[in-house]
Amino acid sequence: MRSTLRPSGSHGAFTLSPAESSQECPRIQGLDYHGRRRAGRSTTDFVDFISKTAASLAVCMGAASAHGTDSSLIVSGLQTLVCGFSAQAVVRPASIAGALNRSVCGGAGEDSYATLFYACVDSLRRELCYVNAGHEPALLLRKRQSRAIMLESTGAVLGLTHRSSYGQRTIPLEPGDVLAVFSEGLAEAVDILGRPFGSAGVLSVLRRSQCARAADLVEEILDAAERHAGWGVPSADQTVAVVRFTGGMDETLPAEAETELAYAVARAC
C-alpha cells in the first residue's frame, strides 16, 4: 500500500516570501546559509529554508509557470505545501516531490507546471540528499580540488502527469563544500550579445570567493548576474540560495565514499 503524504504544521520553516527579498534565519550547527530573491516583473520563484534538527536543514527552491493563472498563486500554494510536508518527522525528498506533483496536477490549470529543487543537508551525517524536479541544476563546489558537481534532474517538472516518479540522490560532504541553488531567471540573464549568465557565471563567483560567507556569496552572485545583463528590473525573478558545510576541518572524505559521487550523475564544469 502506498502511503499518502499529508501536510502538517509549518514549524521550523523560514520562508523568503514574494514580498521579501531576504531574511535572517536561525543558526544550524555546522552550516552557514543564506538566500535572496530579486523580484522580476512577475512573481515566479520561491525559496525556503526549513530547520529539520539542530544540525540539519532543508533548502528548497521552486518556480511556477502558468497560462491564464496568476503564477504567484501557485507559488504561494507550493510554499505552504512544501513547508507542511517538510514538518513531518521523517520524510524523503522524493516523497515530497511526488506529493507536490499530485497537488499541482490536481489543483493547477492544464498548462500550468512548477519546478522544484529540494535538498536536505545534514552536518552530522555529513551528507546532502536531494531531488530535482525539472529545476535549474544546482552546483556543489567541493573544497578539495575545487571540483564542481552539477545536481541535475531526478524527475519531471511538477504538474506534467500524475504518473511522474522522482528519484533522490545522496552525496557525502566535506567541510568547506558549498551548495549553490539558483533559478532559471538568474541562469538565463543575457548580455547584449545574447550570452546567458548560466551556471558558468555562478561557478566563477563561487571559485573566486570560495571562502566567503554564504550571505556574501549570494550578493556577489546576484550582483554578477546584474552586471552581466545590465542594470534594470529583470524580466523574471532571480533567486539564489547558498549553503556552506563548515563542519570539523580535521576530517576528510574517505576515498571509498568519493565513488558515491558517480551515483549523483555528476558532471564536472
Side-chain angles (χ1 to χ4, degrees):
M1 179 182 297
R2 186 179 66 181
S3 61
T4 301
L5 189 62
R6 300 182 183 279
S8 57
S10 58
H11 174 72
F14 306 96
T15 304
L16 304 185
S17 69
E20 298 170 319
S21 60
S22 64
Q23 73 177 82
E24 293 297 323
C25 298
R27 182 177 178 180
I28 302 295
Q29 179 183 339
L31 300 176
D32 172 29
Y33 65 102
H34 191 77
R36 185 182 170 198
R37 167 184 163 270
R38 176 174 288 160
R41 296 191 183 97
S42 61
T43 300
T44 58
D45 294 356
F46 74 92
V47 57
D48 293 333
F49 293 108
I50 302 166
S51 59
K52 306 292 288 182
T53 68
S56 65
L57 177 78
V59 53
C60 49
M61 185 179 295
S65 177
H67 298 281
T69 304
D70 186 351
S71 59
S72 64
L73 297 177
I74 299 178
V75 167
S76 178
L78 284 173
Q79 285 183 296
T80 300
L81 287 171
V82 76
C83 291
F85 292 146
S86 298
Q88 300 187 30
V90 179
V91 60
R92 300 170 67 248
S95 298
I96 289 178
L100 288 172
N101 178 64
R102 292 189 290 274
S103 296
V104 175
C105 285
E110 291 185 0
D111 294 327
S112 301
Y113 67 90
T115 68
L116 176 75
F117 181 91
Y118 186 103
C120 291
V121 186
D122 193 314
S123 64
L124 291 182
R125 293 180 178 272
R126 303 167 68 89
E127 67 180 25
L128 177 155
C129 182
Y130 80 94
V131 61
N132 185 336
H135 195 77
E136 191 73 25
L139 285 173
L140 178 64
L141 181 61
R142 304 186 71 83
K143 184 173 179 61
R144 185 165 50 156
Q145 301 177 347
S146 192
R147 180 186 178 194
I149 310 294
M150 294 190 75
L151 308 185
E152 301 185 276
S153 288
T154 61
V157 297
L158 306 176
L160 185 64
T161 171
H162 284 90
R163 296 188 297 273
S164 294
S165 60
Y166 298 89
Q168 65 181 41
R169 293 166 184 156
T170 302
I171 301 176
L173 295 174
E174 287 187 280
D177 288 352
V178 178
L179 170 69
V181 190
F182 47 95
S183 65
E184 183 179 72
L186 183 130
E188 294 188 351
V190 297
D191 63 12
I192 58 174
L193 298 179
R195 297 173 298 192
F197 183 67
S199 58
V202 176
L203 183 57
S204 176
V205 175
L206 294 180
R207 284 185 164 146
R208 183 174 65 246
S209 305
Q210 190 169 0
C211 296
R213 296 185 307 123
D216 294 334
L217 282 172
V218 166
E219 294 305 317
E220 286 190 41
I221 291 169
L222 286 169
D223 289 348
E226 188 172 39
R227 288 194 302 271
H228 178 84
W231 307 104
V233 178
S235 58
D237 287 350
Q238 295 180 351
T239 309
V240 183
V242 170
V243 181
R244 176 190 297 282
F245 174 42
T246 57
M249 298 302 291
D250 56 335
E251 299 182 40
T252 57
L253 185 69
E256 59 271 18
E258 191 75 32
T259 60
E260 296 183 30
L261 294 176
Y263 181 63
V265 194
R267 187 175 71 198
C269 295

